[in-house]
Amino acid sequence: SVEKEAPGGGADGDDSLYPIAVLIDELRNEDVQLRLNSIKKLSTIALALGVERTRTELLPFLTDTIYDEDEVLLALAEQLGNFTMLVGGPEYVHCLLPPLESLATVEETVVRDKAVESLRKISQEHSPVDLEVHFEPLVKRLASGDWFTSRTSACGLFSVCYPRVSSTVKAEIRQHFRTLCSDDTPMVRRAAASKLGEFAKVLELDYVKSDIISLFTALASDEQDSVRLLAVEACVSIATLLPQEDLETLVMPTLRQAAEDKSWRVRYMVADKFSELQKAVGPEITKNDLVPAFQNLLKDCEAEVRAAAANKVKEFCENLPEDSRETIIMTHILPCVKELVSDTNQHVKSALASVIMGLSTILGKDNTVEHLLPLFLAQLKDECPEVRLNIISNLDCVNEVIGIRQLSQSLLPAIVELAEDAKWRVRLAIIEYMPLLAGQLGVEFFDEKLNTLCMAWLIDHVYAIREAATCNLMKLVEKFGAEWAQNTIVPKVLGMANDPNYLHRMTTLFCINSLSEACGQEITTKQMLPVVLKMSNDQVANVRFNVAKSLQKIGPVLDSSALQTEVKPVLEKLATDTDMDVKYFAQENSCLLDLGYPEETTQDHIANSFHNIFIDVQEQLVMYRELTEPVCI
Amino acid sequence: MSAISATEKVDGFTRKSMRKAQKQKKSQGSSQFRTQALTELSPLPQLKDAPSTEQQELFSQKLQQCCMLFDFMDSVTDLKSKEIKRATLNELVDYVSTNRGVLVETAYPEISNMICTNIFRTLPPSDNPDFDPEEDEPTLEASWPHIQLVYEFLLRFLENPDFQPSIAKRYIDQKFVLQLLELFDSEDPRERDFLKTVLHRIYGKFLGLRAFIRKQINNIFLRFIYETDHFNGVAELLEILGSIINGFALPLKAEHKQFLMKVLVPMHTAKGLALFHAQLAYCVVQFLEKDPILTEPVIRGLLKFWPKTCSQKEVMYLGEIEEILDVIEPTQFKKIQEPLFKQISRCVANPHFQVAERALYFWNNEYILSLIEENIDKVLPIMFGSLYRISKEHWNPTIVALVYNVLKTLMEMNSTLFDELTASYKSDRQRCVPCPSLILTCIQNLTGVQLWQNWI
């Protein structure tokens, strides 16, 4: 057996098997990490053992080691899913079932789920005969297991074997699934409910109508809301499968009941799946049933539900049948939306703000100006920054329909307020929309109103904001062109090089790094380079080594004469700096710019640093030894 | 937004203490899906003033009146009706606790209806999804002024000397219990406290529901351990179970043993163990006192789930191990001593001094000492290496002092073996190059660089 052979090398004295013997030995090691490593190399072991010994020795051994750390079991469950070729191909794939069966019964959910995933995978590699002889009996055993874990696992296996077995076996499978749907532990019912849709898809339509519908109805009125809400998910698949004329009698009563469930979790699920449900039931039912249901969800007493529904407003309206879309929106949906704009809960308002702008394309110019614009403006003045941000981030939708001028009067105060928000994440978010806004509003408006903001961010006290501001400038230059940059922002950026605060001086360098390419050679050589070079005399070392870094960044934009006559001397000077880091970056960048300056390579530098620390350690060791000479007790 | 002060603007972060302060006073409405319209209540005459022939009828009217639910999130509406209901509930509590003969059969369905309507509700979504029960203040139930009185009434009803389980079981059935159990997830500790007492009474009075209650608790726990990792009432349910286990008949049924091994032991892995560990350990020890044979599998289970990175939990595990050792039978001790002391020896050598200290405290326990002494030939070789090394290396002087005492105790138990181990330990040390592993580990931790091993 495998066990006897380890670790002295192959029983036949074959030295090449020695590493394998070590791996096998490690499968039984006391250290979890070693067992885990070995399990992860299981395919190597199997390959070396050959298909026959893998089947007869390795797999039984693995089946026996099932009582182990969950981490090891998880790795094992995953490995076995890819083992078909290693046991000799599809003909022998059923050998993998015993270890996976035990893994599918353990308590830890991740392990069990992985085992089921692997079983589903290898089920496809079984021949129809093997499926009935080996796989299906396993599913049955799991489905009738004593402990809930095996029954839970079984739920995920029905749909993969159902399509490929004989009709008698099919009948048995349906029966097992029925039993599990009314299992007395909620864990199993949850598992069954979550697989109901998937199972329905592989069933013949008649059985969907007879079996699945009754299970669906039962699960949708389960005593536990955690089960009921899963039935809502299944509802989408089931409704897709049924012909239109059956939907009303078979699905709708349950769906209506779910939309008014006493548990907010179920109603939340309905709201969350609303677009899918809408597509699945078709336009007629949507008009008659889903519109009022949606109105109710938008007015739900629980904010969670309203937020989920608010998120779906645009999608729902988009998918309404064209002939009645506008009427439905104007008479049924818009009144609810108006109320949500002044909802008490900020998540609801912010969910709405993220989609409301999308309505303008659906409703057209006149309706937008008359009905939506007041809502946008109200949300732009909302007390919660997230709401305002969401509106601003979707400006492009409105721009297409009515042009942004209509909004700009209200837009500006909103942007300014966000730009000065006390929370830096809010400021960061608005910076990220600047390029988009600049594109929408045009260069004049931008210069007049927003330019000052963009420059102010460069001296923000939070680094992330300064960094984003730098990146923002680059995007603006890409949009408005080099000439604009030369006139408006470059002078201001370069002016900061004389700032008393070294952080601001560094910001100049960071801006140059990101602007040089967009500005082009001329501006870079004539305006930026002199400033950078001058900063190499800065008294703060951080500035100096950032000069070295900047020179590398802008190097590719410069021509070779500037590199040789201006950059090289400065780098040479920095390479003799008193500060170790400045020296290091100057040398490194000389190499990278290919200026022929490899006095000490980067690797040497690293090795040297290591060397220094190494000496430190040795000194410590000596001290340590002196301190810890054995003392007798 | 406007409340943000100048100091806050400096670093842009809201201070945690401030966010907390804002949160503390929050309360939450019950997630009742209201369909009925509210009608104003009008006060009924006092029960005690009514002639005895009309009392029953008036009692029933008052019960119905109390079925009206109010929105407590809105503190200005329906003030008058809210007050009437509160006074009526108070009167009802008084009525069922002081009067005999009021629980006639026809009253049961009405009482049950009033209770169900008021307390059974879907709990609202948690206001704070990252609610940390150890840190954050719980959100309180807004309608507590009414709900509290309903719970009070339910308890008095169950405790009334005329209460007849045979009639009540038609109303206090499996469905009732199930809904009651779901409420244990309430964030409001006051509510969970009432629920605990109520469930306890029901378990005591309704024999037919006992197995069902245990099974449902079982399901809640399994879901908590393997699915959601969140349930507010674990400690309360465990407390009830503690007294249930106490009453188990011997020999223990397979069902109960399974509960111990497959639910209570894995429950030690939960993230919020600190919140219910005392109750959990009590349950485990109750089981072991009933049936000592279970000691070995339980200790092996704890060793399997032993925390690897959470020192706080390790201290709790050690506490529980000591509680178990307090009641262990010597024969069971022999079965488990080897793996157990390997773990204890790792704990003693733990750089976190609270873990090391907790493990070393075992040597202050007379009974544990006697067990160790009896098995010194097995225990000492396992413990010796760690103890000897720690006596020289541990950074914390208290630990070093404790270790010296422990070594002294162990030496007195078997000095010959102790000398042998000392000698072989020293020769081992001299044979290999002294490996200053402590410094290396420190450097590794500081730099995160594994390379050092190759350098030295």
Side-chain angles (χ1 to χ4, degrees), chain A residues 107 109 147-148 184 186-187 190 223 226 262-264 267 302 383 422 424 461 621 624 631-633, chain B residues 1 10 12-13 31 33 122-123 125 178 215 219 222-223 226-227 258 262 388 392-393 404 426 436:
Chain A
E107 269 80 23
T109 327
W147 187 237
F148 80 97
D184 64 349
M187 285 80 78
R190 275 196 288 276
E223 62 206 3
S226 55
K262 67 179 191 315
S263 161
W264 62 271
R267 302 197 304 276
E302 210 53 76
E383 57 178 2
W424 68 267
H461 59 267
L621 295 185
Y624 172 82
V631 185
C632 283
I633 13 174
Chain B
M1 287 268 320
V10 174
F13 293 99
S31 180
F33 200 48
T122 310
L123 294 168
L178 207 57
K215 192 159 166 212
N219 287 341
L222 286 168
R223 185 168 185 218
Y226 294 112
E227 293 182 16
Q258 191 183 45
K262 297 220 170 187
Y388 195 93
K392 314 234 167 293
E393 283 178 3
Y404 273 108
K426 281 186 182 164

Side-chain angles (χ1 to χ4, degrees), chain B residues 295-448:
Chain B
T295 314
E296 186 191 348
V298 164
I299 291 187
R300 282 192 191 276
L302 289 178
L303 292 176
K304 179 180 169 182
F305 295 129
W306 202 273
K308 296 196 171 55
T309 54
C310 181
S311 307
Q312 191 207 3
K313 266 195 189 179
E314 251 187 298
V315 174
M316 288 186 257
Y317 273 57
L318 284 166
E320 185 167 348
I321 292 286
E322 182 164 359
E323 280 182 55
I324 295 175
L325 290 178
D326 265 333
V327 300
I328 201 168
E329 288 186 355
T331 47
Q332 295 298 320
F333 183 81
K334 282 193 201 311
K335 287 186 193 164
I336 201 68
Q337 56 186 356
E338 242 172 279
L340 179 62
F341 276 88
K342 275 185 189 161
Q343 182 57 56
I344 294 176
S345 127
R346 279 195 288 272
C347 292
V348 164
N350 196 305
H352 195 304
F353 81 98
Q354 285 176 333
V355 176
E357 186 181 53
R358 187 66 193 84
L360 290 166
Y361 279 166
F362 284 14
W363 274 265
N364 292 343
N365 184 314
E366 288 296 330
Y367 183 61
I368 297 180
L369 274 184
S370 72
L371 290 168
I372 293 177
E373 182 156 22
E374 219 170 287
N375 302 283
I376 189 73
D377 51 328
K378 285 277 186 315
V379 175
L380 188 51
I382 299 174
M383 293 300 301
F384 187 81
S386 281
L387 290 172
Y388 195 93
R389 189 161 54 80
I390 285 305
S391 72
K392 314 234 167 293
E393 283 178 3
H394 206 284
W395 62 272
N396 183 302
T398 318
I399 298 300
V400 175
L402 279 170
V403 167
Y404 273 108
N405 283 333
V406 168
L407 281 168
K408 195 164 150 275
T409 317
L410 290 171
M411 190 168 68
E412 281 161 8
M413 284 178 183
N414 186 341
S415 57
T416 333
L417 177 59
F418 193 89
D419 291 344
E420 275 170 33
L421 289 167
T422 315
S424 73
Y425 183 80
K426 281 186 182 164
S427 70
D428 277 357
R429 260 174 78 99
Q430 270 156 15
R431 227 180 302 131
C432 54
V433 186
C435 175
S437 58
L438 197 66
I439 282 199
L440 282 182
T441 327
C442 291
I443 295 171
Q444 274 175 12
N445 291 345
L446 282 174
T447 59

Side-chain angles (χ1 to χ4, degrees), chain A residues 329-491:
Chain A
I329 298 178
M330 297 307 293
T331 52
H332 299 292
I333 308 297
L334 208 55
C336 303
V337 169
K338 277 183 186 156
E339 275 176 46
L340 291 185
V341 167
S342 48
D343 199 279
T344 48
N345 184 293
Q346 68 171 56
H347 299 290
V348 177
K349 287 187 291 190
S350 131
L352 181 70
S354 65
V355 297
I356 189 174
M357 310 289 271
L359 289 180
S360 50
T361 30
I362 306 171
L363 287 177
K365 187 171 177 184
D366 295 342
N367 279 328
T368 303
V369 173
E370 195 185 335
H371 298 285
L372 293 178
L373 201 55
L375 304 183
F376 299 159
L377 295 178
Q379 292 214 298
L380 269 178
K381 294 193 189 88
D382 199 278
E383 57 178 2
C384 161
E386 207 183 323
V387 176
R388 282 174 272 151
L389 270 177
N390 282 346
I391 289 288
I392 290 174
S393 63
N394 288 299
L395 278 177
D396 45 342
C397 318
V398 189
N399 197 16
E400 287 162 23
V401 184
I402 57 167
I404 213 155
R405 290 282 158 188
Q406 298 262 18
L407 274 174
S408 52
Q409 279 310 311
S410 319
L411 208 47
L412 196 64
I415 294 174
V416 173
E417 206 181 314
L418 288 169
E420 289 165 357
D421 197 283
K423 297 197 176 59
W424 68 267
R425 283 173 205 281
V426 175
R427 298 201 296 277
L428 186 63
I430 188 76
I431 294 177
E432 277 160 11
Y433 295 125
M434 269 298 145
L436 177 79
L437 282 171
Q440 307 279 327
L441 294 165
V443 66
E444 281 161 44
F445 187 90
F446 185 86
D447 279 346
E448 197 181 320
K449 317 273 188 194
L450 301 178
N451 200 5
T452 1
L453 285 180
C454 290
M455 300 315 288
W457 282 321
L458 287 176
I459 51 169
D460 198 283
H461 59 267
V462 176
Y463 176 75
I465 299 296
R466 297 196 299 273
E467 192 188 24
T470 318
C471 178
N472 172 45
L473 285 188
M474 180 185 73
K475 288 182 185 153
L476 290 175
V477 175
E478 280 168 1
K479 224 167 210 123
F480 294 151
E483 200 186 327
W484 175 81
Q486 195 175 7
N487 295 328
T488 48
I489 57 169
V490 172

Side-chain angles (χ1 to χ4, degrees), chain B residues 56-239:
Chain B
Q56 209 49 58
E57 173 59 23
L58 189 58
F59 180 49
S60 142
Q61 280 176 8
K62 291 197 175 228
L63 284 170
Q64 268 164 28
Q65 204 171 41
C66 290
C67 288
M68 181 74 79
L69 301 177
F70 297 95
D71 182 3
F72 274 83
M73 291 310 277
D74 190 342
S75 54
V76 287
T77 56
D78 311 311
L79 284 179
K80 203 171 136 235
S81 298
K82 280 178 187 166
E83 177 51 29
I84 291 171
K85 176 166 168 182
R86 200 192 58 79
T88 312
L89 281 169
N90 262 325
E91 198 192 349
L92 290 177
V93 170
D94 205 41
Y95 186 68
V96 288
S97 41
T98 51
N99 294 324
R100 293 295 304 262
V102 294
L103 294 184
V104 295
E105 195 168 340
T106 49
Y108 281 78
E110 282 168 335
I111 290 175
S112 146
N113 182 39
M114 192 279 279
I115 291 165
C116 294
T117 320
N118 276 285
I119 64 170
F120 292 153
R121 64 208 192 276
T122 310
L123 294 168
S126 177
D127 209 36
N128 174 5
D130 324 306
F131 178 66
D132 175 359
E134 284 174 85
E135 282 277 319
D136 301 328
E137 286 291 317
T139 325
L140 300 177
E141 171 60 48
S143 53
W144 191 243
H146 285 173
I147 291 200
Q148 175 184 16
L149 294 169
V150 178
Y151 277 117
E152 195 78 52
F153 177 79
L154 171 56
L155 270 180
R156 300 295 166 84
F157 168 62
L158 291 168
E159 285 164 357
N160 189 300
D162 297 332
F163 178 77
Q164 293 202 24
S166 55
I167 303 173
K169 76 177 179 196
R170 266 174 268 162
Y171 312 101
I172 298 183
D173 53 2
Q174 296 194 345
K175 190 163 178 240
F176 186 96
V177 168
L178 207 57
Q179 298 185 80
L180 202 65
L181 283 168
E182 273 175 24
L183 290 175
F184 274 83
D185 195 20
S186 168
E187 243 178 70
D188 194 330
R190 302 168 301 183
E191 177 162 26
R192 295 202 303 271
D193 207 48
F194 265 110
L195 285 164
K196 188 175 71 188
T197 323
V198 167
L199 188 65
H200 212 140
R201 296 283 174 279
I202 294 178
Y203 192 88
K205 289 185 193 286
F206 297 84
L207 303 186
L209 286 172
R210 287 185 176 183
F212 180 80
I213 292 176
R214 287 197 307 268
K215 192 159 166 212
Q216 293 309 321
I217 294 182
N218 195 20
N219 287 341
I220 289 177
F221 284 171
L222 286 168
R223 185 168 185 218
F224 167 70
I225 303 168
Y226 294 112
E227 293 182 16
T228 56
D229 209 14
H230 177 91
F231 192 85
N232 289 316
V234 175
E236 283 81 2
L237 290 177
L238 282 169
E239 207 176 316

